[in-house]
Amino acid sequence: MANDASTVFDVVILGGGSGGYAAALRAAQLGLSVALVEKGELGGTCLHRGCIPTKALLHAAEIADETKEAAEFGVLATFQGIDINGVHKYKDDVIAGLYKGLQGLVASRKVTFIQGEGKLSSQTSVDVNGQRIEGRHIVLATGSVPRSIPGLEIDGNRVISSDHALKLDRIPKSAVILGGGVIGVEFASVWKSFGVEVTIVEALPHLVPLEDENSSKLLERAFRKRGIKFELKARFSGVEYTETGVRVSTENGKQIDADLLLVAIGRGPVSAGLGYEENGVAMDRGYVLVDEYMRTNVPTISAVGDLAPTLQLAHVGFAEGILVAERLAGLKPMPIDYDGVPRVTYSNPEVASVGISEAKAVELYGKEKVVTLKYNLAGNGKSKILKTAGEIKLVQVKDGAVVGVHMVGARMGEQVGEAQLIYNWEALPAEVAQLIHAHPTQSEALGEAHLALAGKPLHAHD
Ligand SMILES: Cc1cc2nc3c(=O)[nH]c(=O)nc-3n(C[C@H](O)[C@H](O)[C@H](O)COP(=O)(O)OP(=O)(O)OC[C@H]3O[C@@H](n4cnc5c(N)ncnc54)[C@H](O)[C@@H]3O)c2cc1C
């Protein structure tokens, strides 16, 4: 460790995941002295147990599907199966490369990286490895871990969390996934492509229930076609071990046998026993409460990332970390508009959105003020070439800006960049219609949807 006992850092950050390391990098860039305390691996959940490994698995799954469907494109290829060790090697190589890069970046910005489990010991210090690290400001960024239901024990073998699923050294014949949110749906998609019989059990009426209902229904239709089963409005009531696997029961009397159960019902904050409450930090069910500038009730302490009750996304963690660093450096950052954060579920097909759903728009503006438009990807040349189905749905305030963009289809995650500019710059449909989109691209579908909303559809019926 580079500091001596008399050093007082400008910022001490507890947790080196997306939120913590973004705060560290930006603070150091702005000339602040920074200590970053991490008990595990720099990069946290996203790099090692979240975004990156899941997306690598999803890419391997896409290649498997494309190989199986190659004949439809006139390509002769034979799908022989999945070499799970090969998949893990590919995934781990991606992680290792990014991890190395991130370590180099943190070192190059002269952040003092401290390996060890830290604990908040006062409103201006963190204890780690038996040493007290003082800071003018503290940023709490200890993130989250998979959650379970009381009485449902995750044994890591037959009842697993996403952490275990990412390292599974076998491909099960069948799996039940508890939870139809982003993580559950992504694993369902991967496993189905790998040949697993998958059933999702979701208590709410739809898969990806935070999305516009239209997107959920399109995903459900696509999953049905792919043979991914799901039970909606089905509350989990118990799991028992069978000779070969598990039997999952729901309150509506269903029993599903499978090799394993993946519990994907959400993630809870990492805050227990870390000295937060003892040092006066206001909390709610383990989350650290913050205002729009990520300030806690203690003037010297901020919190970012999954530990705060905001959207649990890596890019939200980055943005919150940057916001805190800029505030502490004396800049005047703007609060985050969480509706303007792009959201992507990287399943096959992908679900991507930004802004608000139709239901929320109706709630906010009244039914008569809300206009929607659906553009079917069947009219989009590139989507046809890819043989993908789906839709782009726009939500507009009558005679005003586009307040929601909701997309389902292959590679739609890549279109969310333009969609977020449209939402965040409060674009009018006519303004977007004015922009020329390259042909044939999938982004053209966004352009065509806005042409239609502006009253001059091209490749769509009036
Ligand atoms: C399967 C899965 C897939 C995901 N996919 C995506 C995706 O595609 N896109 C997306 O945007 N988000 C995705 N996420 C969410 C994303 O990973 C999180 O939102 C993000 O990692 C949160 O960052 P964080 O810094 O708040 O917390 P974390 O990344 O959890 O980092 C917290 C860090 O704090 C450390 N820590 C905890 N306690 C201590 C302590 N006492 N002392 C020292 N260090 C400590 C931990 O070791 C950890 O490294 C996914 C998550 C999962 C689980």
Side-chain angles (χ1 to χ4, degrees):
M1 190 166 53
N3 71 311
D4 59 51
S6 62
T7 308
V8 177
F9 289 94
D10 290 325
V11 197
V12 176
I13 301 167
L14 187 57
S18 311
Y21 84 67
L25 290 174
R26 183 67 179 130
Q29 196 172 50
L30 291 167
L32 303 179
S33 60
V34 182
L36 179 60
V37 181
E38 168 57 52
K39 70 172 178 183
E41 291 157 310
L42 180 65
T45 304
C46 178
L47 178 53
H48 301 280
R49 298 173 297 282
C51 330
I52 299 298
T54 47
K55 267 79 261 180
L57 293 188
L58 280 155
H59 186 61
E62 187 181 336
I63 292 174
D65 288 341
E66 289 191 347
T67 310
K68 288 181 221 164
E69 290 155 12
E72 290 180 34
F73 301 84
V75 176
L76 302 180
T78 316
F79 177 75
Q80 295 182 0
I82 301 293
D83 163 18
I84 195 65
N85 294 325
V87 171
H88 284 314
K89 184 184 177 315
Y90 150 66
K91 171 197 74 167
D92 293 341
D93 283 352
V94 174
I95 296 171
L98 290 169
Y99 184 35
K100 202 164 167 222
L102 183 61
Q103 287 171 308
L105 194 58
V106 164
S108 76
R109 295 263 173 98
K110 311 256 181 293
V111 169
T112 300
F113 182 74
I114 302 167
Q115 184 77 57
E117 182 158 8
K119 191 174 169 178
L120 191 68
S121 45
S122 77
Q123 296 188 345
T124 52
S125 67
V126 164
D127 282 1
V128 54
N129 304 332
Q131 207 180 338
R132 181 146 297 183
I133 314 294
E134 304 275 355
R136 288 195 302 113
H137 295 280
I138 307 288
V139 179
L140 305 177
T142 42
S144 65
V145 285
R147 208 175 15 213
S148 188
I149 295 172
L152 173 56
E153 198 201 323
I154 294 179
D155 67 11
N157 184 28
R158 292 193 196 183
V159 180
I160 64 174
S161 71
S162 60
D163 290 354
H164 306 111
L166 286 168
K167 292 190 180 323
L168 210 60
D169 59 1
R170 63 191 193 278
I171 298 176
K173 278 205 179 64
S174 56
V176 174
I177 298 179
L178 187 57
V182 178
I183 294 176
V185 157
E186 289 188 352
F187 274 105
S189 191
V190 170
W191 280 346
K192 184 66 195 177
S193 304
F194 285 1
V196 183
E197 276 308 308
V198 183
T199 308
I200 304 171
V201 173
E202 167 58 55
L204 292 172
H206 286 293
L207 297 180
V208 287
L210 299 181
E211 294 293 339
D212 188 282
E213 196 175 279
N214 190 58
S215 295
S216 296
K217 286 182 175 165
L218 289 169
L219 179 71
E220 287 160 13
R221 191 185 303 162
F223 268 19
R224 236 176 257 124
K225 252 180 119 176
R226 290 188 61 197
I228 297 174
K229 295 185 213 138
F230 45 88
E231 298 288 336
L232 302 175
K233 295 189 199 163
R235 284 195 164 276
F236 169 85
S237 62
V239 61
E240 55 189 283
Y241 290 141
T242 58
E243 219 164 275
T244 53
V246 289
R247 175 163 300 150
V248 177
S249 309
T250 61
E251 280 179 7
N252 56 6
K254 287 244 160 71
Q255 290 196 324
I256 310 158
D257 285 351
D259 287 357
L260 59 81
L261 169 66
L262 166 63
V263 181
I265 53 163
R267 295 176 61 82
V270 174
S271 57
L274 295 183
Y276 299 171
E277 252 167 343
E278 291 85 330
N279 285 292
V281 177
M283 321 263 299
D284 180 24
R285 287 164 297 142
Y287 290 98
V288 171
L289 296 175
V290 288
D291 66 8
E292 70 269 40
Y293 293 99
M294 311 315 291
R295 294 179 292 211
T296 71
N297 60 315
V298 177
T300 48
I301 301 180
S302 305
V304 298
D306 285 6
L307 180 63
T310 53
L311 276 176
Q312 290 185 332
L313 288 170
H315 43 290
V316 168
F318 295 149
E320 292 176 347
I322 291 169
L323 186 149
V324 167
E326 294 189 348
R327 175 169 56 73
L328 298 183
L331 305 183
K332 302 244 171 305
M334 298 270 287
I336 294 164
D337 168 9
Y338 288 95
D339 287 334
V341 172
R343 306 162 296 258
V344 182
T345 303
Y346 299 82
S347 47
N348 170 15
E350 291 187 344
V351 180
S353 66
V354 65
I356 58 176
S357 65
E358 178 181 354
K360 179 87 184 287
V362 167
E363 206 181 297
L364 287 177
Y365 303 104
K367 200 169 172 42
E368 64 294 343
K369 281 272 207 179
V370 175
V371 180
T372 62
L373 180 126
K374 290 184 193 170
Y375 182 83
N376 196 315
L377 292 184
N380 174 249
K382 187 62 194 265
S383 298
K384 252 308 194 243
I385 290 166
L386 295 173
K387 283 184 181 278
T388 188
E391 244 173 48
I392 291 181
K393 174 177 168 179
L394 302 179
V395 181
Q396 181 203 9
V397 176
K398 200 169 185 191
D399 300 324
V402 173
V403 293
V405 181
H406 305 276
M407 305 180 280
V408 178
R411 303 185 186 177
M412 279 296 125
E414 299 300 329
Q415 306 310 320
V416 87
E418 178 176 2
Q420 72 164 342
L421 293 183
I422 292 168
Y423 170 84
N424 286 295
W425 271 335
E426 300 176 10
L428 302 173
E431 291 169 331
V432 184
Q434 196 67 20
L435 304 171
I436 300 166
H437 289 75
H439 176 76
T441 59
Q442 282 187 297
S443 73
E444 209 180 1
L446 258 180
E448 295 249 2
H450 285 85
L451 279 167
L453 195 56
K456 45 180 186 175
L458 185 61
H459 297 98
H461 297 283
D462 289 309

